[in-house]
Amino acid sequence: DHRASASFVDFKGGADFSAWQPVADGFYSGAPDDDPEAMLRVIDGFVAGMNERIRRLPEYRASKIDERIASEPGMGPAVLVVDEAHEALGRTSSLPAAQRDRVTAAIKTVIARGRAVNCWVLVASQRVTDDEIPAAITQRVTVRIAYRLGTQPASQAVLGPDAWAQGYRATECPAPGIGLLADDEGVRRLRAFYVPDQEAHRLAGLAAARRGVNLSREPDT
């Protein structure tokens, strides 16, 4: 979607999202305590953009952004990606408690207020029990996806305790990329597709061209 924008916070500190850095609204890659102020600027900047959309809604005499309004400048879909979120949110996080609370509060407010203004947050983690991702977040997320997980508590933390009793168990996902999706309609199986690095750079190049962004180097071919 050429209207879409994204901000990335990758606590793995790797290159998983590097292809998208040139077209990202905000980008941070590293441990939470490598440069916490830079990390918080990305998150706080996303929340500020969400709040600006909320402020602008009366201009359109609307209570939420619909397809028509989404085509207006600055009102298209926006997503904040937080990968390896347990590194910042878990009880053993290296972040001071005050900064950890700021990250938690920001994610909670996007979940609570963002949907109406086309702002979304994707929280990803390999460890999802309550001591790693606060229940204040997991209980508010409207769509939850589990790929293969090693324990019953981890599966239940994502899909809910009822899913386990109904036979939906992430411990039994048969292969990488095969998972379970839980939302208000229940639980169902899904299949995800792996995007190789070269394809990610090609897609980022298309996104950059649509936005008039000059990449520092040509995408891999």
Side-chain angles (χ1 to χ4, degrees), residues 89-174:
L89 303 176
R91 294 176 185 171
T92 60
S93 170
S94 57
L95 277 181
Q99 293 176 333
R100 187 165 66 243
D101 290 345
R102 279 179 64 183
V103 176
T104 301
I107 292 174
K108 284 170 57 181
T109 195
V110 175
I111 294 172
R113 306 174 68 209
R115 181 190 301 188
V117 289
N118 221 2
C119 292
W120 313 89
V121 60
L122 190 159
V123 180
S125 176
Q126 296 183 49
R127 301 202 296 271
V128 291
T129 51
D130 287 350
D131 60 334
E132 300 288 358
I133 306 294
I137 290 175
T138 58
Q139 291 175 0
R140 286 174 167 81
V141 172
T142 54
V143 178
R144 304 177 302 281
I145 296 173
Y147 297 106
R148 184 186 294 169
L149 293 169
T151 66
Q152 177 179 344
S155 179
Q156 291 179 307
V158 180
L159 302 174
D162 292 342
W164 184 273
Q166 295 166 4
Y168 295 108
R169 300 174 180 181
T171 56
E172 299 173 1
C173 290

Side-chain angles (χ1 to χ4, degrees), residues 3-4 16 19 24 30 33 50 53 65-66 77 109 123 169-170 177 183-184 201-202 204-205 215 218:
R3 304 169 302 177
D16 287 356
D33 57 352
M50 179 191 73
R53 291 170 180 234
I65 293 178
D66 58 18
T109 195
V123 180
R169 300 174 180 181
D183 60 14
D184 292 341
H201 280 280
R202 187 186 72 83
L215 299 179
E218 291 295 324

